Amino acid sequence: MANTLTGVNFTGFTTSAESDQTFQAFSPALNSFLEDKFNLATETELEYVLQLANKAFGTYRNLPAVKKAEFLDAIAEEIMALGDTLIERCTAETALPAARITGERGRTCGQLKMFAQLLRDGWWVDARIDTAQPQRQPLPKSDIRRMLIPFGPIAVFGASNFPLAFSTAGGDTASALAAGCPVVVKAHSSHPGTNELVSSAIIKAAKRTGMPEGVFSSVYLSHADVMKLVQHPVIKAVGFTGSRDVGMRLFNAAVARPEPIPVYAEMSAVNPVILLEGALQTKGEKIAKDLTGSITLGVGQFCTNPGLVLTIENDVSKKFLQLLVNEIASSTPATMLNRNICKAYDEGVKSRQSKAQVLAKASKEANKEKYEAQPVVHTVNAANFLAGKELSEEIFGPASLVVMCKDETELLSVLQSLEGQLTATVHATAADEKTVGPVVDIITQKAGRVIYGGYPTGVEVCHSMQHGGPFPSTTDGRSTSVGTAAIYRFVRPVTFQDFPDHLLPEPLRNDNPLNILRLVDGEWANKKIGS
């Protein structure tokens, strides 16, 4: 195996002499295993990687922000330098089209560069300075200065549905490295070849920019060894995107440690879309088309897939449902990310059919030899929905459930019954204003991102994005896994009291060498203290 900077390959244990447990990537589109074999890490190898990360933290956390920014920029450059090799391997392992992977590569590199710029700007450390007042009566006031510092080594779990943007060099890795934390990635077994390529790019970037040995590693682990990673005392936080079942197992393991640590797990959401009468009256045809596009986008394998649609039953909504039936019928089955996801989708759809009526499905049947999913929409009345909690559970794939409410009161009751969500969407016009207020009031309490007149799929990577919501959409609704605020998951505040200026971290010094925005004696400024 190779570590991050020497000739031993820690990124995949492909040359490990110790491990005799191997596996291969499976191509769902080809219905066959790909040729390369990958080795699972041994317990000894995992321990070595973790100790390297721990050692690296002492150096990496103290590097100037500009050096860490150069590292992040270099990672983006090295990923792009992989060219078509990365695109071809990723499509083979995931069945996602080349155009989708190309776009995701751009997003991955874009967020790395976004965090690099954040480091250069410096304001994210939230430097707060209250200068001393030695003459204050009845007691003098100390010099008190506060800023954010990194946690320590972070365990990142690669996601199945975003092999680039939420995996090896994805948002969790980018934000943790930006915070000053070394990263150990538990690579996803569905796309190990993709992980190998991206890991090699990160390692090359680390060498290029002089990063400490152990600043990044990725490992393949057996199910039994996953918990050893989470429970190891070197690891100080976890980033995860995946199922509720696995996310909660990681969370429970982390909080049961002698030293509990935070787990930032994005897990489960049905992302309700509320369609009010005015919107359906004026643009029902467009909503039916665009909603179908959102349900089936990426074979429905997005955490923001609109898995629940709410509307009030009347002539307008009945007409809309027929439009939706036509749109869904014209959609086509497509190959899912892996066999297990396809199996779970089929089981979820079958289970729902015993409790809700099939409203619409793609006219073409799915080819199960290619692990395809057939888009389907069910419908149920609000009373039955409220009576069966299982109807509010996520089906990961191109499926949605339309809940027909008899009036506004029932609509609000359904919304109140929902668990925490990543997103909630409302379509309305001026004619719906009376209903919009109460709806928005509820969904703001239920979701991390509230959308008006749009669709939940498509998460913009920017400073103001919130991708995280109340449980069970995430384990910590105060955090986001997308946008620059993601960095705050991996830092903690520290106050320095009455320190000599030269011993303070740079962002807190009087001369403000980084020229960053700071809160000084109650006023935000980037000037030197006393100037």
Side-chain angles (χ1 to χ4, degrees):
M1 66 182 196
N3 74 21
T4 50
L5 296 178
T6 69
V8 191
N9 185 8
F10 290 148
T11 62
F13 302 105
T14 51
T15 61
S16 169
E18 290 189 45
S19 177
D20 58 1
Q21 297 184 65
T22 64
F23 70 99
Q24 293 170 272
F26 183 83
S27 174
L30 299 175
N31 194 13
S32 65
F33 286 97
L34 299 177
E35 187 174 331
D36 307 292
K37 290 186 177 181
F38 301 88
N39 292 77
L40 296 177
T42 65
E43 190 171 346
T44 300
E45 290 166 335
L46 178 60
E47 179 66 24
Y48 188 45
V49 162
L50 289 165
Q51 293 305 327
L52 275 179
N54 195 39
K55 183 179 179 182
F57 180 53
T59 301
Y60 187 62
R61 70 183 184 222
N62 291 316
L63 289 178
V66 66
K67 288 295 294 180
K68 292 193 283 282
E70 289 171 0
F71 177 34
L72 295 178
D73 279 336
I75 294 173
E77 292 163 6
E78 294 297 342
I79 289 174
M80 291 303 299
L82 294 171
D84 290 343
T85 300
L86 176 62
I87 304 299
E88 291 166 2
R89 179 69 193 200
C90 198
T91 56
E93 292 182 327
T94 64
L96 294 171
R100 153 70 193 274
I101 296 301
T102 301
E104 191 178 329
R105 179 181 63 181
R107 171 177 168 167
T108 303
C109 294
Q111 62 194 10
L112 284 161
K113 289 182 174 294
M114 179 187 70
F115 279 109
Q117 187 57 50
L118 181 69
L119 291 178
R120 293 185 176 98
D121 293 340
W123 53 264
W124 72 274
V125 301
D126 194 23
R128 297 165 181 258
I129 298 171
D130 285 285
T131 55
Q133 297 177 18
Q135 306 306 318
R136 190 183 70 173
Q137 295 297 325
L139 294 172
K141 176 186 174 185
S142 292
D143 185 280
I144 299 174
R145 308 186 180 210
R146 178 186 188 272
M147 66 175 287
L148 299 172
I149 66 168
F151 266 165
I154 307 299
V156 170
F157 285 73
S160 63
N161 59 336
F162 279 87
L164 298 178
F166 277 88
S167 289
T168 308
D172 289 347
T173 296
S175 54
L177 290 175
C181 300
V183 169
V184 178
V185 168
K186 186 274 178 189
H188 201 284
S189 58
S190 288
H191 36 79
T194 301
N195 170 72
E196 284 290 312
L197 290 167
V198 176
S199 292
S200 71
I202 299 173
I203 291 166
K204 192 171 182 180
K207 291 179 179 179
R208 212 177 97 190
T209 55
M211 293 298 107
E213 183 179 42
V215 71
F216 169 85
S217 298
S218 88
V219 295
Y220 303 120
L221 296 176
S222 67
H223 292 300
D225 286 340
V226 165
M227 293 307 170
K228 293 176 183 176
L229 172 62
V230 173
Q231 293 174 325
H232 198 284
V234 162
I235 295 299
K236 301 304 180 185
V238 175
F240 170 82
T241 299
S243 70
R244 182 171 177 173
D245 175 60
V246 175
M248 288 309 299
R249 279 191 276 140
L250 297 179
F251 176 83
N252 291 332
V255 298
R257 290 173 28 149
E259 177 201 3
I261 59 171
V263 173
Y264 300 105
E266 179 199 311
M267 301 183 297
S268 177
V270 292
N271 306 295
V273 176
I274 302 99
L275 304 176
L276 299 182
E277 184 175 354
L280 294 180
Q281 181 77 56
T282 57
K283 50 182 180 178
E285 189 173 340
K286 178 172 172 42
I287 291 174
K289 182 179 179 63
D290 293 346
L291 179 60
T292 298
S294 187
I295 292 169
T296 60
L297 183 67
V299 206
Q301 298 168 123
F302 288 110
C303 46
T304 53
N305 187 58
L308 188 65
V309 179
L310 309 177
T311 192
I312 296 174
E313 187 171 5
N314 52 40
D315 290 341
V316 174
S317 61
K318 289 178 182 177
K319 180 180 178 181
F320 166 76
L321 290 188
Q322 188 54 55
L323 294 170
L324 184 62
V325 167
N326 296 338
E327 291 293 338
I328 293 292
S330 65
S331 65
T332 56
T335 301
M336 301 196 82
L337 289 160
N338 61 51
R339 295 172 294 178
N340 289 338
I341 287 175
C342 186
K343 179 182 178 183
Y345 175 77
D346 290 340
E347 290 174 350
V349 169
K350 183 178 180 180
S351 176
R352 179 171 286 178
Q353 286 175 183
S354 65
K355 304 171 184 70
Q357 179 183 351
V358 175
L359 174 70
K361 60 182 178 180
S363 56
K364 183 181 178 182
E365 294 289 332
N367 181 347
K368 289 308 170 183
E369 290 187 0
K370 292 186 176 181
Y371 302 98
E372 289 183 343
Q374 183 180 27
V376 61
V377 173
H378 293 81
T379 186
V380 68
N381 63 47
N384 287 339
F385 179 84
L386 290 168
K389 186 178 184 299
E390 63 276 5
L391 287 173
S392 65
E393 295 174 355
E394 178 186 24
I395 295 178
F396 189 67
S400 194
L401 175 65
V402 177
V403 179
M404 300 298 290
C405 305
K406 62 184 180 182
D407 53 29
E408 179 184 329
T409 299
E410 199 167 57
L411 172 66
L412 298 180
S413 294
V414 171
L415 288 174
Q416 287 283 18
S417 75
L418 297 179
E419 295 182 309
Q421 305 292 329
L422 291 171
T423 74
T425 302
V426 60
H427 285 259
T429 63
D432 303 306
E433 288 297 322
K434 182 181 176 182
T435 306
V436 167
V439 166
V440 172
D441 184 56
I442 293 173
I443 63 178
T444 301
Q445 300 304 310
K446 296 288 184 178
R449 177 164 59 108
V450 181
I451 303 156
Y452 187 92
Y455 300 90
T457 45
V459 181
E460 185 70 30
V461 180
C462 62
H463 295 296
S464 51
M465 179 50 66
Q466 172 61 26
H467 191 61
F471 183 85
S473 62
T474 58
T475 48
D476 190 337
R478 299 167 298 176
S479 67
T480 179
S481 59
V482 178
T484 51
I487 199 171
Y488 296 118
R489 296 174 298 167
F490 305 124
V491 293
R492 64 181 180 87
V494 171
T495 287
F496 297 83
Q497 185 167 327
D498 291 330
F499 263 64
D501 194 64
H502 71 283
L503 293 180
L504 287 167
E506 283 190 328
L508 297 180
R509 293 178 189 170
N510 289 334
D511 60 0
N512 193 14
L514 303 179
N515 197 37
I516 63 171
L517 188 66
R518 309 183 296 179
L519 184 66
V520 181
D521 292 331
E523 294 186 5
W524 288 102
N526 63 355
K527 62 184 179 182
K528 298 178 182 179
I529 293 175
S531 62

